[in-house]
PDB file of all heavy atoms in Angstrom:
ATOM      1  N   GLY A   1     -10.156  15.610   8.057  1.00 97.00           N
ATOM      2  CA  GLY A   1      -9.266  15.042   9.047  1.00 97.00           C
ATOM      3  C   GLY A   1      -8.050  14.381   8.436  1.00 97.00           C
ATOM      4  O   GLY A   1      -7.861  14.378   7.219  1.00 97.00           O
ATOM      5  N   SER A   2      -7.233  13.795   9.306  1.00 98.00           N
ATOM      6  CA  SER A   2      -5.980  13.181   8.878  1.00 98.00           C
ATOM      7  C   SER A   2      -5.810  11.799   9.477  1.00 98.00           C
ATOM      8  O   SER A   2      -6.308  11.512  10.564  1.00 98.00           O
ATOM      9  CB  SER A   2      -4.787  14.042   9.290  1.00 98.00           C
ATOM     10  OG  SER A   2      -4.829  15.323   8.687  1.00 98.00           O
ATOM     11  N   LEU A   3      -5.095  10.961   8.762  1.00 98.00           N
ATOM     12  CA  LEU A   3      -4.690   9.652   9.237  1.00 98.00           C
ATOM     13  C   LEU A   3      -3.290   9.368   8.737  1.00 98.00           C
ATOM     14  O   LEU A   3      -2.883   9.877   7.687  1.00 98.00           O
ATOM     15  CB  LEU A   3      -5.621   8.550   8.737  1.00 98.00           C
ATOM     16  CG  LEU A   3      -6.975   8.357   9.416  1.00 98.00           C
ATOM     17  CD1 LEU A   3      -7.766   7.284   8.668  1.00 98.00           C
ATOM     18  CD2 LEU A   3      -6.805   7.965  10.872  1.00 98.00           C
ATOM     19  N   ARG A   4      -2.577   8.542   9.480  1.00 98.00           N
ATOM     20  CA  ARG A   4      -1.262   8.095   9.063  1.00 98.00           C
ATOM     21  C   ARG A   4      -1.246   6.570   9.062  1.00 98.00           C
ATOM     22  O   ARG A   4      -1.398   5.940  10.111  1.00 98.00           O
ATOM     23  CB  ARG A   4      -0.175   8.627   9.998  1.00 98.00           C
ATOM     24  CG  ARG A   4       1.250   8.249   9.570  1.00 98.00           C
ATOM     25  CD  ARG A   4       2.273   8.906  10.485  1.00 98.00           C
ATOM     26  NE  ARG A   4       3.641   8.509  10.197  1.00 98.00           N
ATOM     27  CZ  ARG A   4       4.419   9.060   9.267  1.00 98.00           C
ATOM     28  NH1 ARG A   4       3.951  10.052   8.511  1.00 98.00           N
ATOM     29  NH2 ARG A   4       5.655   8.629   9.095  1.00 98.00           N
ATOM     30  N   LEU A   5      -1.081   5.997   7.892  1.00 98.00           N
ATOM     31  CA  LEU A   5      -1.010   4.558   7.747  1.00 98.00           C
ATOM     32  C   LEU A   5       0.434   4.089   7.807  1.00 98.00           C
ATOM     33  O   LEU A   5       1.338   4.772   7.322  1.00 98.00           O
ATOM     34  CB  LEU A   5      -1.626   4.109   6.422  1.00 98.00           C
ATOM     35  CG  LEU A   5      -3.064   4.538   6.135  1.00 98.00           C
ATOM     36  CD1 LEU A   5      -3.529   3.932   4.816  1.00 98.00           C
ATOM     37  CD2 LEU A   5      -3.997   4.134   7.265  1.00 98.00           C
ATOM     38  N   SER A   6       0.629   2.928   8.391  1.00 98.00           N
ATOM     39  CA  SER A   6       1.952   2.338   8.481  1.00 98.00           C
ATOM     40  C   SER A   6       1.912   0.931   7.909  1.00 98.00           C
ATOM     41  O   SER A   6       0.905   0.237   8.004  1.00 98.00           O
ATOM     42  CB  SER A   6       2.435   2.279   9.931  1.00 98.00           C
ATOM     43  OG  SER A   6       2.507   3.566  10.504  1.00 98.00           O
ATOM     44  N   CYS A   7       3.023   0.514   7.350  1.00 97.00           N
ATOM     45  CA  CYS A   7       3.155  -0.837   6.831  1.00 97.00           C
ATOM     46  C   CYS A   7       4.535  -1.351   7.170  1.00 97.00           C
ATOM     47  O   CYS A   7       5.540  -0.705   6.838  1.00 97.00           O
ATOM     48  CB  CYS A   7       2.938  -0.869   5.321  1.00 97.00           C
ATOM     49  SG  CYS A   7       3.237  -2.482   4.561  1.00 97.00           S
ATOM     50  N   ALA A   8       4.586  -2.494   7.802  1.00 96.00           N
ATOM     51  CA  ALA A   8       5.848  -3.108   8.184  1.00 96.00           C
ATOM     52  C   ALA A   8       6.014  -4.449   7.487  1.00 96.00           C
ATOM     53  O   ALA A   8       5.077  -5.253   7.449  1.00 96.00           O
ATOM     54  CB  ALA A   8       5.915  -3.287   9.696  1.00 96.00           C
ATOM     55  N   ALA A   9       7.189  -4.667   6.942  1.00 95.00           N
ATOM     56  CA  ALA A   9       7.500  -5.929   6.286  1.00 95.00           C
ATOM     57  C   ALA A   9       8.254  -6.843   7.231  1.00 95.00           C
ATOM     58  O   ALA A   9       9.049  -6.392   8.048  1.00 95.00           O
ATOM     59  CB  ALA A   9       8.331  -5.686   5.032  1.00 95.00           C
ATOM     60  N   SER A  10       8.016  -8.120   7.090  1.00 95.00           N
ATOM     61  CA  SER A  10       8.708  -9.114   7.886  1.00 95.00           C
ATOM     62  C   SER A  10       8.909 -10.381   7.062  1.00 95.00           C
ATOM     63  O   SER A  10       8.339 -10.530   5.979  1.00 95.00           O
ATOM     64  CB  SER A  10       7.921  -9.443   9.162  1.00 95.00           C
ATOM     65  OG  SER A  10       6.654  -9.999   8.841  1.00 95.00           O
ATOM     66  N   GLY A  11       9.732 -11.281   7.576  1.00 92.00           N
ATOM     67  CA  GLY A  11       9.893 -12.562   6.924  1.00 92.00           C
ATOM     68  C   GLY A  11      11.266 -12.855   6.355  1.00 92.00           C
ATOM     69  O   GLY A  11      11.450 -13.886   5.702  1.00 92.00           O
ATOM     70  N   GLY A  12      12.221 -11.968   6.573  1.00 85.00           N
ATOM     71  CA  GLY A  12      13.554 -12.220   6.075  1.00 85.00           C
ATOM     72  C   GLY A  12      14.343 -10.956   5.825  1.00 85.00           C
ATOM     73  O   GLY A  12      13.921  -9.858   6.188  1.00 85.00           O
ATOM     74  N   SER A  13      15.480 -11.145   5.195  1.00 84.00           N
ATOM     75  CA  SER A  13      16.354 -10.034   4.839  1.00 84.00           C
ATOM     76  C   SER A  13      16.198  -9.760   3.343  1.00 84.00           C
ATOM     77  O   SER A  13      16.513 -10.617   2.509  1.00 84.00           O
ATOM     78  CB  SER A  13      17.803 -10.367   5.174  1.00 84.00           C
ATOM     79  OG  SER A  13      18.664  -9.307   4.812  1.00 84.00           O
ATOM     80  N   PHE A  14      15.729  -8.579   3.014  1.00 84.00           N
ATOM     81  CA  PHE A  14      15.473  -8.242   1.622  1.00 84.00           C
ATOM     82  C   PHE A  14      15.374  -6.733   1.473  1.00 84.00           C
ATOM     83  O   PHE A  14      15.280  -6.005   2.460  1.00 84.00           O
ATOM     84  CB  PHE A  14      14.170  -8.904   1.138  1.00 84.00           C
ATOM     85  CG  PHE A  14      13.060  -8.833   2.145  1.00 84.00           C
ATOM     86  CD1 PHE A  14      12.350  -7.673   2.344  1.00 84.00           C
ATOM     87  CD2 PHE A  14      12.735  -9.950   2.907  1.00 84.00           C
ATOM     88  CE1 PHE A  14      11.331  -7.596   3.277  1.00 84.00           C
ATOM     89  CE2 PHE A  14      11.712  -9.898   3.847  1.00 84.00           C
ATOM     90  CZ  PHE A  14      11.014  -8.722   4.030  1.00 84.00           C
ATOM     91  N   THR A  15      15.373  -6.301   0.230  1.00 87.00           N
ATOM     92  CA  THR A  15      15.206  -4.893  -0.092  1.00 87.00           C
ATOM     93  C   THR A  15      14.122  -4.769  -1.152  1.00 87.00           C
ATOM     94  O   THR A  15      14.172  -5.440  -2.188  1.00 87.00           O
ATOM     95  CB  THR A  15      16.515  -4.270  -0.610  1.00 87.00           C
ATOM     96  OG1 THR A  15      17.532  -4.391   0.381  1.00 87.00           O
ATOM     97  CG2 THR A  15      16.303  -2.806  -0.941  1.00 87.00           C
ATOM     98  N   PHE A  16      13.166  -3.933  -0.879  1.00 93.00           N
ATOM     99  CA  PHE A  16      12.098  -3.699  -1.840  1.00 93.00           C
ATOM    100  C   PHE A  16      12.532  -2.659  -2.866  1.00 93.00           C
ATOM    101  O   PHE A  16      13.016  -1.588  -2.509  1.00 93.00           O
ATOM    102  CB  PHE A  16      10.837  -3.205  -1.138  1.00 93.00           C
ATOM    103  CG  PHE A  16      10.140  -4.253  -0.325  1.00 93.00           C
ATOM    104  CD1 PHE A  16      10.348  -4.334   1.039  1.00 93.00           C
ATOM    105  CD2 PHE A  16       9.275  -5.149  -0.924  1.00 93.00           C
ATOM    106  CE1 PHE A  16       9.712  -5.291   1.801  1.00 93.00           C
ATOM    107  CE2 PHE A  16       8.625  -6.114  -0.180  1.00 93.00           C
ATOM    108  CZ  PHE A  16       8.841  -6.191   1.181  1.00 93.00           C
ATOM    109  N   ASN A  17      12.358  -2.985  -4.138  1.00 93.00           N
ATOM    110  CA  ASN A  17      12.586  -1.994  -5.187  1.00 93.00           C
ATOM    111  C   ASN A  17      11.597  -0.849  -5.052  1.00 93.00           C
ATOM    112  O   ASN A  17      11.928   0.316  -5.283  1.00 93.00           O
ATOM    113  CB  ASN A  17      12.435  -2.610  -6.581  1.00 93.00           C
ATOM    114  CG  ASN A  17      13.502  -3.629  -6.898  1.00 93.00           C
ATOM    115  OD1 ASN A  17      13.266  -4.521  -7.699  1.00 93.00           O
ATOM    116  ND2 ASN A  17      14.663  -3.515  -6.277  1.00 93.00           N
ATOM    117  N   SER A  18      10.393  -1.212  -4.694  1.00 94.00           N
ATOM    118  CA  SER A  18       9.329  -0.231  -4.575  1.00 94.00           C
ATOM    119  C   SER A  18       8.406  -0.625  -3.438  1.00 94.00           C
ATOM    120  O   SER A  18       8.128  -1.805  -3.237  1.00 94.00           O
ATOM    121  CB  SER A  18       8.536  -0.140  -5.884  1.00 94.00           C
ATOM    122  OG  SER A  18       7.454   0.765  -5.774  1.00 94.00           O
ATOM    123  N   MET A  19       7.945   0.354  -2.703  1.00 95.00           N
ATOM    124  CA  MET A  19       6.928   0.153  -1.683  1.00 95.00           C
ATOM    125  C   MET A  19       5.908   1.271  -1.801  1.00 95.00           C
ATOM    126  O   MET A  19       6.250   2.392  -2.182  1.00 95.00           O
ATOM    127  CB  MET A  19       7.520   0.154  -0.277  1.00 95.00           C
ATOM    128  CG  MET A  19       8.460  -0.996   0.029  1.00 95.00           C
ATOM    129  SD  MET A  19       8.883  -1.096   1.799  1.00 95.00           S
ATOM    130  CE  MET A  19       7.366  -1.830   2.462  1.00 95.00           C
ATOM    131  N   GLY A  20       4.684   0.949  -1.471  1.00 96.00           N
ATOM    132  CA  GLY A  20       3.673   1.984  -1.552  1.00 96.00           C
ATOM    133  C   GLY A  20       2.308   1.503  -1.147  1.00 96.00           C
ATOM    134  O   GLY A  20       2.165   0.520  -0.408  1.00 96.00           O
ATOM    135  N   TRP A  21       1.312   2.211  -1.659  1.00 98.00           N
ATOM    136  CA  TRP A  21      -0.058   1.994  -1.241  1.00 98.00           C
ATOM    137  C   TRP A  21      -1.009   1.988  -2.417  1.00 98.00           C
ATOM    138  O   TRP A  21      -0.899   2.813  -3.330  1.00 98.00           O
ATOM    139  CB  TRP A  21      -0.491   3.099  -0.265  1.00 98.00           C
ATOM    140  CG  TRP A  21       0.317   3.121   0.984  1.00 98.00           C
ATOM    141  CD1 TRP A  21       1.475   3.798   1.207  1.00 98.00           C
ATOM    142  CD2 TRP A  21       0.017   2.420   2.192  1.00 98.00           C
ATOM    143  NE1 TRP A  21       1.924   3.562   2.481  1.00 98.00           N
ATOM    144  CE2 TRP A  21       1.047   2.718   3.109  1.00 98.00           C
ATOM    145  CE3 TRP A  21      -1.015   1.569   2.587  1.00 98.00           C
ATOM    146  CZ2 TRP A  21       1.063   2.200   4.400  1.00 98.00           C
ATOM    147  CZ3 TRP A  21      -0.994   1.049   3.867  1.00 98.00           C
ATOM    148  CH2 TRP A  21       0.035   1.372   4.755  1.00 98.00           C
ATOM    149  N   TYR A  22      -1.922   1.049  -2.392  1.00 98.00           N
ATOM    150  CA  TYR A  22      -3.047   0.999  -3.292  1.00 98.00           C
ATOM    151  C   TYR A  22      -4.320   1.085  -2.461  1.00 98.00           C
ATOM    152  O   TYR A  22      -4.291   0.882  -1.250  1.00 98.00           O
ATOM    153  CB  TYR A  22      -3.055  -0.296  -4.098  1.00 98.00           C
ATOM    154  CG  TYR A  22      -2.041  -0.355  -5.215  1.00 98.00           C
ATOM    155  CD1 TYR A  22      -0.685  -0.454  -4.947  1.00 98.00           C
ATOM    156  CD2 TYR A  22      -2.451  -0.330  -6.546  1.00 98.00           C
ATOM    157  CE1 TYR A  22       0.249  -0.514  -5.965  1.00 98.00           C
ATOM    158  CE2 TYR A  22      -1.529  -0.401  -7.576  1.00 98.00           C
ATOM    159  CZ  TYR A  22      -0.187  -0.495  -7.284  1.00 98.00           C
ATOM    160  OH  TYR A  22       0.717  -0.561  -8.310  1.00 98.00           O
ATOM    161  N   ARG A  23      -5.416   1.356  -3.117  1.00 98.00           N
ATOM    162  CA  ARG A  23      -6.692   1.356  -2.413  1.00 98.00           C
ATOM    163  C   ARG A  23      -7.788   0.820  -3.322  1.00 98.00           C
ATOM    164  O   ARG A  23      -7.681   0.867  -4.540  1.00 98.00           O
ATOM    165  CB  ARG A  23      -7.061   2.755  -1.913  1.00 98.00           C
ATOM    166  CG  ARG A  23      -7.392   3.762  -3.008  1.00 98.00           C
ATOM    167  CD  ARG A  23      -7.625   5.130  -2.408  1.00 98.00           C
ATOM    168  NE  ARG A  23      -7.942   6.125  -3.417  1.00 98.00           N
ATOM    169  CZ  ARG A  23      -8.048   7.421  -3.193  1.00 98.00           C
ATOM    170  NH1 ARG A  23      -7.863   7.893  -1.951  1.00 98.00           N
ATOM    171  NH2 ARG A  23      -8.345   8.267  -4.164  1.00 98.00           N
ATOM    172  N   GLN A  24      -8.827   0.317  -2.700  1.00 98.00           N
ATOM    173  CA  GLN A  24      -9.958  -0.203  -3.431  1.00 98.00           C
ATOM    174  C   GLN A  24     -11.244   0.158  -2.702  1.00 98.00           C
ATOM    175  O   GLN A  24     -11.450  -0.234  -1.556  1.00 98.00           O
ATOM    176  CB  GLN A  24      -9.860  -1.717  -3.602  1.00 98.00           C
ATOM    177  CG  GLN A  24     -10.920  -2.303  -4.510  1.00 98.00           C
ATOM    178  CD  GLN A  24     -10.612  -3.733  -4.908  1.00 98.00           C
ATOM    179  OE1 GLN A  24      -9.908  -4.442  -4.203  1.00 98.00           O
ATOM    180  NE2 GLN A  24     -11.127  -4.153  -6.049  1.00 98.00           N
ATOM    181  N   ALA A  25     -12.079   0.907  -3.388  1.00 97.00           N
ATOM    182  CA  ALA A  25     -13.380   1.284  -2.861  1.00 97.00           C
ATOM    183  C   ALA A  25     -14.427   0.302  -3.367  1.00 97.00           C
ATOM    184  O   ALA A  25     -14.234  -0.348  -4.399  1.00 97.00           O
ATOM    185  CB  ALA A  25     -13.736   2.706  -3.291  1.00 97.00           C
ATOM    186  N   PRO A  26     -15.547   0.173  -2.670  1.00 92.00           N
ATOM    187  CA  PRO A  26     -16.598  -0.741  -3.117  1.00 92.00           C
ATOM    188  C   PRO A  26     -17.028  -0.457  -4.547  1.00 92.00           C
ATOM    189  O   PRO A  26     -17.293   0.689  -4.910  1.00 92.00           O
ATOM    190  CB  PRO A  26     -17.737  -0.470  -2.130  1.00 92.00           C
ATOM    191  CG  PRO A  26     -17.054   0.008  -0.892  1.00 92.00           C
ATOM    192  CD  PRO A  26     -15.900   0.829  -1.393  1.00 92.00           C
ATOM    193  N   GLY A  27     -17.067  -1.504  -5.360  1.00 94.00           N
ATOM    194  CA  GLY A  27     -17.492  -1.364  -6.735  1.00 94.00           C
ATOM    195  C   GLY A  27     -16.467  -0.770  -7.674  1.00 94.00           C
ATOM    196  O   GLY A  27     -16.780  -0.516  -8.841  1.00 94.00           O
ATOM    197  N   ARG A  28     -15.262  -0.537  -7.190  1.00 95.00           N
ATOM    198  CA  ARG A  28     -14.221   0.047  -8.021  1.00 95.00           C
ATOM    199  C   ARG A  28     -12.991  -0.846  -8.052  1.00 95.00           C
ATOM    200  O   ARG A  28     -12.798  -1.702  -7.188  1.00 95.00           O
ATOM    201  CB  ARG A  28     -13.843   1.435  -7.512  1.00 95.00           C
ATOM    202  CG  ARG A  28     -14.992   2.422  -7.491  1.00 95.00           C
ATOM    203  CD  ARG A  28     -14.532   3.795  -7.101  1.00 95.00           C
ATOM    204  NE  ARG A  28     -13.584   4.347  -8.066  1.00 95.00           N
ATOM    205  CZ  ARG A  28     -13.021   5.545  -7.958  1.00 95.00           C
ATOM    206  NH1 ARG A  28     -13.322   6.320  -6.931  1.00 95.00           N
ATOM    207  NH2 ARG A  28     -12.160   5.965  -8.877  1.00 95.00           N
ATOM    208  N   GLN A  29     -12.157  -0.630  -9.049  1.00 96.00           N
ATOM    209  CA  GLN A  29     -10.923  -1.383  -9.165  1.00 96.00           C
ATOM    210  C   GLN A  29      -9.868  -0.850  -8.208  1.00 96.00           C
ATOM    211  O   GLN A  29      -9.902   0.314  -7.802  1.00 96.00           O
ATOM    212  CB  GLN A  29     -10.387  -1.316 -10.597  1.00 96.00           C
ATOM    213  CG  GLN A  29     -11.226  -2.047 -11.624  1.00 96.00           C
ATOM    214  CD  GLN A  29     -10.569  -2.056 -12.982  1.00 96.00           C
ATOM    215  OE1 GLN A  29     -10.111  -1.028 -13.467  1.00 96.00           O
ATOM    216  NE2 GLN A  29     -10.512  -3.232 -13.597  1.00 96.00           N
ATOM    217  N   ARG A  30      -8.944  -1.707  -7.865  1.00 97.00           N
ATOM    218  CA  ARG A  30      -7.833  -1.286  -7.041  1.00 97.00           C
ATOM    219  C   ARG A  30      -6.966  -0.305  -7.824  1.00 97.00           C
ATOM    220  O   ARG A  30      -6.669  -0.522  -8.999  1.00 97.00           O
ATOM    221  CB  ARG A  30      -7.005  -2.497  -6.611  1.00 97.00           C
ATOM    222  CG  ARG A  30      -5.931  -2.191  -5.590  1.00 97.00           C
ATOM    223  CD  ARG A  30      -5.259  -3.461  -5.078  1.00 97.00           C
ATOM    224  NE  ARG A  30      -6.200  -4.334  -4.386  1.00 97.00           N
ATOM    225  CZ  ARG A  30      -5.848  -5.420  -3.716  1.00 97.00           C
ATOM    226  NH1 ARG A  30      -4.576  -5.766  -3.626  1.00 97.00           N
ATOM    227  NH2 ARG A  30      -6.774  -6.172  -3.128  1.00 97.00           N
ATOM    228  N   GLU A  31      -6.566   0.769  -7.173  1.00 96.00           N
ATOM    229  CA  GLU A  31      -5.792   1.799  -7.841  1.00 96.00           C
ATOM    230  C   GLU A  31      -4.580   2.197  -7.017  1.00 96.00           C
ATOM    231  O   GLU A  31      -4.586   2.123  -5.789  1.00 96.00           O
ATOM    232  CB  GLU A  31      -6.654   3.039  -8.104  1.00 96.00           C
ATOM    233  CG  GLU A  31      -7.141   3.732  -6.840  1.00 96.00           C
ATOM    234  CD  GLU A  31      -7.906   5.009  -7.113  1.00 96.00           C
ATOM    235  OE1 GLU A  31      -7.944   5.449  -8.284  1.00 96.00           O
ATOM    236  OE2 GLU A  31      -8.474   5.579  -6.154  1.00 96.00           O
ATOM    237  N   LEU A  32      -3.553   2.625  -7.723  1.00 97.00           N
ATOM    238  CA  LEU A  32      -2.360   3.128  -7.060  1.00 97.00           C
ATOM    239  C   LEU A  32      -2.660   4.448  -6.373  1.00 97.00           C
ATOM    240  O   LEU A  32      -3.258   5.346  -6.961  1.00 97.00           O
ATOM    241  CB  LEU A  32      -1.240   3.322  -8.078  1.00 97.00           C
ATOM    242  CG  LEU A  32       0.029   4.009  -7.558  1.00 97.00           C
ATOM    243  CD1 LEU A  32       0.779   3.087  -6.597  1.00 97.00           C
ATOM    244  CD2 LEU A  32       0.935   4.419  -8.718  1.00 97.00           C
TER     245      LEU A  32
END
């Protein structure tokens, strides 16, 4: 199947050099 994740930033006026996603499964380290 498929999913589409969204992420919205708030809190001021700024520009991100980089944006993206990490994930962490049980018992594992967070990974890019």
